[in-house]
Amino acid sequence: MEVPAETYREGEFTLARWQFADVPELVAAVIGSLEHIGPWLIWATGGYTTEDGAEFLRHSRENWRRGQTYDFALHVDGSIAGAIGLMTREGGVEIGYWLARGFTGRGLMTRAVALLTAEAFRLGAGYVEIKHDERNVRSGAVPARLGFTKVGEAPMEPPWAPSCAGTYHVWRLTPPCSAPAAP
Ligand SMILES: CC(C)(COP(=O)(O)OP(=O)(O)OC[C@H]1O[C@@H](n2cnc3c(N)ncnc32)[C@H](O)[C@@H]1OP(=O)(O)O)[C@@H](O)C(=O)NCCC(=O)NCCS
């Protein structure tokens, strides 16, 4: 897949490649959201420090440079409302996400995933995959809403976050068929 742009704007939200200056706001957003993201995301189960935020951004910057992961902050009205990342896989890409407290329930993540899915296809990804724990119904509702197909299940590497059962549900979408070549 080709390298995505660093910023996308759509309606009320913007996706912007993480900057080091985002660390304080990222940490505040995660800490304010631990109650609903901690049960599902292992990195958010034991609190979240400035060093955790800085380490995430260091990895993010390095992984972007290597073409492995393209991580974006989701901004609404100038505030960090969540995060979404494209992780390159053999022949395709996986998308991961979380929303901050106060920003769920209004379609932000579904629309952000739709945007990056279309962009991943435009940039050459052969499929987009989303994986979530079988108990994480709200996460699974995102690919379901966008017409992804549930293609299987897979064991999660331990340790997993406290509300997880340890089994991924795996969803995939492939690019729309291109028009047949003219005779
Ligand atoms: C997973 C997570 C991001 C989903 O958040 P969400 O708020 O359910 O998702 P969306 O932002 O797409 O919002 C969907 C809701 O907005 C509604 N909605 C409103 N306008 C919409 C629109 N234009 N498009 C789509 N949905 C819309 C949907 O009907 C849905 O409503 P519901 O809550 O009554 O079901 C959130 O639950 C989260 O951060 N969880 C913790 C972290 C996590 O589990 N991450 C994933 C790990 S695999």
Side-chain angles (χ1 to χ4, degrees), residues 36-37 40-41 97-99 103-111 131-133 136 138-139 142 145:
H36 83 270
I37 65 176
W40 304 111
L41 298 173
Y97 43 73
W98 58 268
L99 280 173
F103 292 97
T104 57
R106 53 202 246 198
L108 282 168
M109 194 49 74
T110 301
R111 285 178 282 154
K131 285 158 62 175
H132 63 88
D133 186 79
N136 195 346
R138 290 193 72 84
S139 183
V142 173
R145 222 175 264 127

Side-chain angles (χ1 to χ4, degrees), residues 87-163:
M87 297 161 268
T88 56
R89 301 286 183 243
E90 187 66 44
V93 70
E94 182 180 339
I95 294 184
Y97 43 73
W98 58 268
L99 280 173
R101 192 165 67 92
F103 292 97
T104 57
R106 53 202 246 198
L108 282 168
M109 194 49 74
T110 301
R111 285 178 282 154
V113 170
L115 187 159
L116 284 190
T117 295
E119 186 63 356
F121 291 152
R122 196 183 69 79
L123 295 170
Y127 64 86
V128 172
E129 190 168 275
I130 290 176
K131 285 158 62 175
H132 63 88
D133 186 79
E134 64 182 357
R135 290 186 185 149
N136 195 346
V137 176
R138 290 193 72 84
S139 183
V142 173
R145 222 175 264 127
L146 292 172
F148 283 56
T149 301
K150 194 185 149 203
V151 293
E153 300 186 0
M156 200 180 273
E157 285 285 313
W160 49 78
S163 288

Side-chain angles (χ1 to χ4, degrees), residues 16-93:
R17 180 179 174 180
W18 288 102
Q19 306 294 325
F20 281 117
D22 292 327
V23 168
E25 207 192 338
L26 164 65
V27 173
V30 172
I31 288 174
S33 309
L34 288 176
E35 205 171 306
H36 83 270
I37 65 176
W40 304 111
L41 298 173
I42 188 70
W43 54 263
T45 53
Y48 200 75
T49 64
T50 298
E51 183 45 39
D52 291 330
E55 194 185 341
F56 166 68
L57 290 197
R58 279 195 297 273
H59 281 295
S60 177
R61 186 186 179 95
E62 181 61 12
N63 289 340
W64 188 294
R65 194 186 63 74
R66 292 171 185 241
Q68 291 177 341
T69 306
Y70 303 107
D71 293 310
F72 297 88
L74 191 160
H75 295 269
V76 174
D77 294 332
S79 297
I80 291 177
I84 182 165
L86 292 171
M87 297 161 268
T88 56
R89 301 286 183 243
E90 187 66 44
V93 70

